[in-house]
Amino acid sequence: MENRPMPRLFVVRHGETEWSQQGCVTGRTDIPLTEHGVEQIRQCAPLLVGEGKVIDPKNLCTVFVSPRRRHDNLSFHHASSHKTFHLLFEGHELPHHVLTESCREWDYGDYEGLNPKEIQAIRPGWLIWRDGCPGGESIEQMQARVDSVIEQVREHHRQYFEGTVNTRDVMVVAHGHFNRCLIARWLKFDLFLGTRLNVQTGGVAVLSYNHNNLEEPALNASVIHLNSMLSFGPCLTTCVQIEPAR
């Protein structure tokens, strides 16, 4: 394993939607990408995806895509995450992918479609990372769902470490709160770490491991400055590695 590249997990948030632009929580209602959201992904994709680039399709063993078709008149192809996935690989053969409910957004229940001010007017002091969502998912339910996705990713990586497969990378295309939860749990922290993570629309986080060790998951600290090349702002979100206090 010493001479093989480390396996990675690319965590992608869908492009901008009308509700994400307005700050409304969107768990059950899938809103299509805005024109700006489509352009976000189309501008970023050629810089990120391709042979020899950060995301090389030949290195992807699978992609987990949120299937959120939560609007009766919205086809899967226009659902925000599914559309983002197709735009990312426009001009390339689509990698193996799975539409899975495990990657759907946090179910906001009674607060669906509301913005933070409206929620605070109903329940002052509410914090999703502490209180969960009445009529939707609790913190425990969300954590269990995210952990199940991480276990599937690590199984792919485990097979790569053992040499039974040659493709090393996995991708998740999902949503803001889901991705923040995923990063927190990947690093073996409680969901509350999500309060310190920023996952922009069209953003990508890169997760991997330290010291060639599956027991040392890390958030990659490599930086790619795309905002100087794009009028839509940075499309790759990167952070320093975080380790639990000893």
Side-chain angles (χ1 to χ4, degrees), residues 189 210-211 216 243-246:
F189 282 87
N210 282 327
H211 309 121
E216 296 185 49
E243 294 184 356
R246 296 183 182 277

Side-chain angles (χ1 to χ4, degrees), residues 45-46 48-51 53 55-57 86-95:
L48 290 174
V49 180
E51 185 175 357
K53 296 182 179 177
I55 302 172
D56 192 329
H86 278 266
L87 289 171
L88 272 176
F89 292 96
E90 207 167 44
H92 301 276
E93 183 178 348
L94 287 179

